[in-house]
């Protein structure tokens, strides 16, 4: 180093390759924040409620139809109406979570579902069962909206994709528990078995409600209430470094309209930030960025459901029967295999979304879903048009279903919740996510309430060819409109939106700006460390 002299213009002379530049060395990858992971884990466990209902109704409906002698139309209604009921819960969950907080909203979801499961377990007729479905649906609507919102607001950027995959993981765990419940009570008398299947859902709701009480409140909600000291404490525990905690607090304060220099423990928040103008900004005078965000969030939830995932899960015993599997126990075992495969696949996705990005996973998943749906539709078409049993077609149907749910769980399943939860800016997040969930539930209801009528009209193979067409449209939609959000802070993601099909130019500009800032900071660090070697 002795032969290196600073020049008058401040540039380096000689060979710069031997200059130690620790500031430019890539930082060590931060370990997953255990406290943030625990908070996200507990919040996301409320998604078990939806998964349990999906799983348990898959088998319970077989015995409900036998016991209550309901028609196919009534069967479609009771399977699909749950999504419309949950729409009510998701619609009011946004304002509720802004009012009482994210944590207490999760508690409320568990309490409501408890009474819904109780009513379903005690149901004496179709109307009483529908009341239980209504109450439980509202609880699930609350859970669907609030779990990803809370997780997005707690998680540091380095592992946000991983933590935001928890809700989808627990939906699948809940479904497996529901499938297991079906199998466990299937040998009971018909009039008791389905009531135990549905009523046992009270147990997870009680456990979840009690566990939620030990969670901290969302730091972003605390800032919106002016409780800066509490928010700072939570951020210090859920961030990878103290510098990140300060940066996150600064960004949230700016989004909430709190001056940067204000460091009081409790501050007054301008009334306009309590949500009065949120709906106006969403629908009356939206900016191009907000329009782009809504298009992506709503479109993602729409295409998640129109890819046929809920008909595949909810009507899997009927699909397996159409494929040639007649025994009820075998149908329930095959359905349980769906839940196990789907759950194992979501674990893979959890570790991949923060490593390779949202877009590659999403596009791979949607493309794979399209191929699997075509395979399933082809197999079912051959089975339905054959006078004898086609073993290869049955195997194609079962294999296509298992591959479909697996590749769905790797991308389109969890990333729908990850992406839609992180792209809304703070001021719009609760209501925006609530609306996105509403789109999800309405589309789910339409798909599940029309499945039997649809396949009777265009054949069951034709129904799945239709879902494959929607998956193909989804691939084009995602490829053209969706920017990558991996590694971006929640408060900077909004800048990626607003150019619609030209988002790539914005992404490039932001990346260049970030590189310039990083180089400037690194050079500043070098000046402090080696002032005698820099001019």
């Amino acid at each position: 180093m002795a032969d290196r002299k600073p020049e008058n213009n401040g540039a380096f002379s000689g060979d710069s390759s031997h200059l130690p530049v620790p500031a430019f060395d890539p930082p060590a990858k931060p370990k997953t924040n255990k406290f943030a992971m625990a908070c996200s884990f507990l919040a996301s466990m409320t998604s078990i409620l939806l998964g349990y209902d999906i799983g348990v109704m898959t088998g319970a409906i077989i015995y409900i139809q036998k016991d209550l002698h309901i028609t196919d139309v009534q069967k479609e209604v009771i399977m699909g109406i749950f999504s419309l009921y949950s729409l009510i819960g998701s619609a009011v969950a946004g304002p509720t979570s802004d009012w009482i907080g994210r944590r207490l909203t999760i508690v409320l979801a568990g309490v409501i579902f408890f009474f819904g499961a109780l009513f379903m377990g005690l149901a004496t007729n179709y109307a009483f069962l529908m009341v239980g479905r209504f109450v439980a649906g509202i609880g699930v609507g609350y859970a669907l909206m609030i779990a990803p919102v809370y997780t997005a607001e707690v998680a540091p950027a380095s592992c946000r994709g991983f933590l935001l995959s928890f809700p989808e993981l627990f939906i699948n765990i809940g479904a497996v528990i529901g499938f297991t419940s079906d199998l466990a009570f299937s040998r009971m008398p018909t009039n008791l078995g389905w009531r135990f299947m549905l009523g046992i859902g009270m147990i997870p709701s009680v456990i979840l409600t009690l566990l939620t009480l030990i969670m901290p409140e969302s730091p972003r909600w605390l800032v919106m209430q002016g409780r800066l000291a509490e928010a700072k404490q939570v951020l210090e525990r859920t961030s990878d470094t103290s510098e990140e905690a300060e940066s996150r607090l600064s960004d949230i304060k700016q989004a909430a309209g709190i001056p940067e220099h204000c460091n009081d423990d409790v501050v007054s928040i301008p009334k306009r930030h309590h949500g009065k103008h949120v709906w106006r900004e969403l629908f009356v005078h939206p900016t191009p960025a907000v329009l782009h965000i809504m298009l992506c969030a709503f479109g993602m939830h729409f295409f998640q459901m129109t890819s046929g995932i809920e008909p595949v899960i909810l009507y899997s015993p009927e699909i397996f029967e159409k494929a040639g599997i007649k025994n009820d126990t075998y149908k329930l075992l095959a359905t349980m295999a769906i839940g196990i495969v789907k759950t194992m696949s979501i674990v893979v996705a959890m570790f991949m979304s923060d490593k390779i990005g949202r877009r590659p996973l999403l596009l791979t998943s949607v493309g794979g879903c399209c191929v699997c749906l075509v395979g399933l539709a082809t197999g079912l078409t051959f089975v339905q048009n054959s006078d004898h049993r086609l073993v290869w077609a049955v195997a194609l149907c079962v294999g296509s279903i298992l591959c479909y749910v697996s590749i769905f769980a790797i991308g389109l399943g969890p990333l729908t919740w990850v992406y839609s939860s992180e792209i809304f800016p703070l001021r719009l997040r609760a209501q925006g996510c609530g609306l996105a969930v509403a789109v999800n539930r309405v589309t789910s209801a339409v798909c599940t309430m029309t499945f039997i009528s649809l396949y009777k009209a265009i054949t069951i193979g034709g129904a799945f060819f239709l879902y494959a067409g929607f998956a193909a449209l989804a691939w084009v939609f995602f490829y053209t409109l969706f920017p990558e959000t991996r590694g971006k802070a929640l408060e900077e993601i909004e800048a990626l939106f607003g150019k619609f099909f030209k988002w790539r130019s914005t992404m490039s500009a932001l990346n260049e700006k970030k590189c310039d800032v990083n180089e400037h900071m690194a050079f500043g660090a070098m000046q402090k460390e080696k002032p005698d070697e820099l001019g």
Side-chain angles (χ1 to χ4, degrees):
M1 298 296 290
D3 61 331
R4 299 181 50 82
K5 303 291 183 183
E7 295 181 357
N8 293 334
N9 62 2
F12 299 125
S13 63
D15 181 11
S16 61
S17 61
H18 300 291
L19 179 66
V21 284
F24 283 101
D25 291 341
K29 183 179 178 181
K31 295 181 179 180
T32 300
N33 186 293
K34 292 181 180 179
F35 184 75
M37 184 168 69
C39 294
S40 303
F41 188 91
L42 292 176
S44 301
M45 283 180 69
T46 193
S47 301
I48 284 179
L49 304 180
L50 172 62
Y52 183 82
D53 186 86
I54 291 174
V56 78
M57 281 301 293
T58 299
I61 194 63
I62 299 173
Y63 306 100
I64 291 172
Q65 193 167 21
K66 291 177 181 178
D67 185 34
L68 301 183
H69 307 290
I70 61 177
T71 65
D72 280 343
V73 173
Q74 288 176 311
K75 177 181 176 180
E76 281 183 317
V77 169
I78 203 164
M79 296 290 274
I81 199 71
F82 190 80
S83 294
L84 291 182
Y85 293 154
S86 64
L87 169 62
I88 300 172
S90 64
V92 297
T96 302
S97 67
D98 280 345
W99 177 40
I100 66 174
R102 316 312 197 207
R103 187 171 68 106
L104 289 181
T105 302
I106 296 174
V107 172
L108 184 60
V111 171
I112 295 173
F113 188 87
F114 172 86
F115 286 103
L118 176 64
F119 294 157
M120 287 191 290
L122 297 176
T124 55
N125 52 45
Y126 185 80
F128 195 170
L129 181 59
M130 192 66 80
V131 171
R133 300 287 285 164
F134 173 75
V135 177
I138 292 177
V140 164
Y142 269 92
L144 273 178
M145 178 268 164
I146 197 59
V149 168
Y150 178 90
T151 301
E153 295 183 345
V154 167
S158 63
C159 59
R160 190 173 59 244
F162 172 73
L163 300 183
L164 275 169
S165 299
F166 278 161
E168 182 71 11
L169 172 65
F170 283 112
I171 288 175
N172 288 283
I173 290 175
V176 172
I177 296 173
F179 296 147
T180 305
S181 175
D182 289 339
L183 195 62
F185 296 112
S186 62
R187 298 190 181 278
M188 293 183 69
T190 302
N191 65 326
L192 291 178
W194 67 265
R195 290 180 170 88
F196 272 93
M197 294 174 190
L198 298 176
I200 207 75
M202 293 185 294
I203 295 176
S205 64
V206 171
I207 295 172
L208 296 175
T209 301
L210 294 175
L211 288 175
T212 303
L213 294 174
I214 67 176
M215 291 163 40
E217 184 51 85
S218 155
R220 286 176 172 82
W221 184 81
L222 290 171
V223 171
M224 294 295 282
Q225 305 305 306
R227 295 154 61 178
L228 298 186
E230 295 176 59
K232 186 175 181 180
Q233 290 176 355
V234 177
L235 285 170
E236 286 174 348
R237 301 189 68 185
T238 58
S239 298
D240 295 326
T241 63
S242 57
E243 291 79 10
E244 183 188 8
E246 290 291 336
S247 176
R248 290 173 69 186
L249 180 61
S250 176
D251 289 339
I252 300 170
K253 284 164 64 176
Q254 181 180 358
I258 301 174
E260 176 68 25
H261 59 79
C262 182
N263 292 308
D264 297 338
D265 289 349
V266 179
V267 300
S268 177
I269 302 295
K271 290 184 178 180
R272 64 185 181 89
H273 289 286
H274 285 295
K276 281 188 175 182
H277 300 286
V278 168
W279 299 113
R280 183 181 301 174
E281 185 172 355
L282 284 172
F283 294 112
V284 181
H285 300 296
T287 63
V290 171
L291 278 175
H292 190 180
I293 288 170
M294 287 196 296
L295 181 62
C296 289
F298 299 167
M300 197 165 197
H301 280 275
F302 172 81
F303 281 117
Q304 186 196 48
M305 291 294 105
T306 55
S307 69
I309 186 61
E310 293 212 345
V312 167
I313 300 296
L314 285 170
Y315 293 100
S316 55
E318 192 153 341
I319 296 170
F320 285 127
E321 183 174 350
K322 296 291 184 183
I325 301 174
K326 304 299 181 182
N327 184 280
D328 283 352
T329 300
Y330 290 162
K331 286 187 285 187
L332 291 178
L333 286 171
T335 301
M336 184 181 294
I338 289 177
I340 294 171
V341 168
K342 195 164 180 277
T343 303
M344 292 171 63
S345 300
I346 187 64
V347 174
V348 175
M350 291 176 66
F351 291 96
M352 293 175 68
S353 64
D354 283 319
K355 290 183 178 179
I356 67 175
R358 294 12 169 188
R359 276 177 58 84
L361 270 181
L362 184 61
L363 294 173
T364 302
S365 174
V366 176
C369 286
C370 185
V371 172
C372 292
L373 287 168
V374 170
L376 175 59
T378 302
L380 288 169
T381 300
F382 273 96
V383 169
Q384 292 294 293
N385 289 283
S386 175
D387 323 5
H388 57 281
R389 183 181 177 87
L390 299 175
V391 177
W392 69 266
V394 175
L396 177 61
C397 292
V398 174
S400 294
I401 289 178
L402 294 178
C403 288
Y404 168 74
V405 296
S406 176
I407 201 163
F408 177 92
I410 288 176
L412 187 56
L415 289 179
T416 296
W417 306 103
V418 172
Y419 203 87
S420 61
S421 299
E422 64 186 3
I423 60 178
F424 280 103
L426 174 61
R427 64 189 183 279
L428 309 176
R429 186 166 299 135
Q431 289 85 345
C433 288
L435 288 169
V437 172
V439 172
N440 183 287
R441 294 295 85 201
V442 169
T443 312
S444 168
V446 171
C447 290
T448 52
M449 292 175 71
T450 60
F451 179 69
I452 295 177
S453 301
L454 179 66
Y455 81 65
K456 285 183 176 180
I458 64 174
T459 75
I460 193 164
F464 285 105
F465 276 124
L466 179 62
Y467 295 142
F470 275 111
L473 287 174
W475 194 95
V476 175
F477 179 76
F478 297 148
Y479 180 80
T480 55
L481 282 170
F482 278 50
E484 179 61 69
T485 58
R486 177 178 64 119
K488 302 279 190 302
L490 289 179
E491 282 67 37
E492 68 177 347
I493 286 176
E494 186 179 0
L496 297 172
F497 294 85
K499 293 294 183 68
F500 296 92
F501 300 103
K502 300 179 180 179
W503 59 266
R504 289 173 178 81
S505 60
T506 304
M507 175 77 78
S508 298
L510 287 174
N511 288 338
E512 288 177 8
K513 182 179 178 181
K514 190 171 185 178
C515 287
D516 290 342
V517 171
N518 289 341
E519 289 178 4
H520 178 74
M521 292 175 63
F523 186 72
M526 288 173 60
Q527 284 183 311
K528 292 180 181 179
E529 185 172 336
K530 302 285 186 179
D532 57 325
E533 297 178 3
L534 302 173

